[in-house]
Amino acid sequence: MTIGMSAALRNARLDAITTAAGANAKLRLYSGTRPATGGAATTLLAELTCGATLAPAASGGVLTLNAITSDTSADASGTATWARLVKSDNTFVMDMDVGTSGADLNMNSNVISAGAAVAITGATLTEANP
């Protein structure tokens, strides 16, 4: 059986991500197989900097991230398959899957070319009930 939570509890869990990330967190995009949570990273494709505050308060079980600064020059070429959110001091916060649909982090195109700009124009995290 799956757990169902109130919107207030789902929002609180999402707001805890904002608190854990702190100011100017980094979103790193990687290729390859996602490791165990917080495990050794694979090939770094790009690193983008989040805003001074990751997101405003969650609403309806959805956390909508504030603007994310583009990476003006990707580190490597490849297909982004997972991402890691770290604090500004590089402390691990969370890992997530990356894709073009149905992933934790969806991108218009998750194919990245070395030296090219990488932008995320909007991002949400959802704490959904079944």
Side-chain angles (χ1 to χ4, degrees):
M1 185 175 290
T2 56
I3 297 173
M5 295 177 276
S6 70
L9 180 55
R10 292 181 298 152
N11 291 341
R13 289 168 50 114
L14 289 165
D15 290 340
I17 296 170
T18 298
T19 300
N24 305 111
K26 301 172 194 173
L27 183 63
R28 295 177 174 160
L29 303 174
Y30 295 94
S31 63
T33 302
R34 180 176 156 185
T37 301
T42 54
T43 302
L44 177 65
L45 301 176
E47 180 178 279
L48 298 90
T49 303
C50 300
T53 302
L54 182 68
S59 177
V62 177
L63 184 71
T64 302
L65 276 57
N66 287 325
I68 300 171
T69 303
S70 299
D71 182 341
T72 57
S73 180
D75 296 283
S77 296
T79 300
T81 54
W82 68 282
R84 177 167 285 167
L85 181 66
V86 297
K87 296 173 67 163
S88 62
D89 68 0
N90 301 317
T91 302
F92 171 79
V93 176
M94 67 183 287
D95 289 337
M96 63 199 92
D97 291 327
V98 173
T100 55
S101 67
D104 301 319
L105 176 64
N106 296 307
M107 302 176 70
N108 290 336
S109 173
N110 59 339
V111 177
I112 295 173
S113 297
V118 178
I120 295 177
T121 56
T124 60
L125 298 172
T126 302
E127 179 78 60
N129 276 328

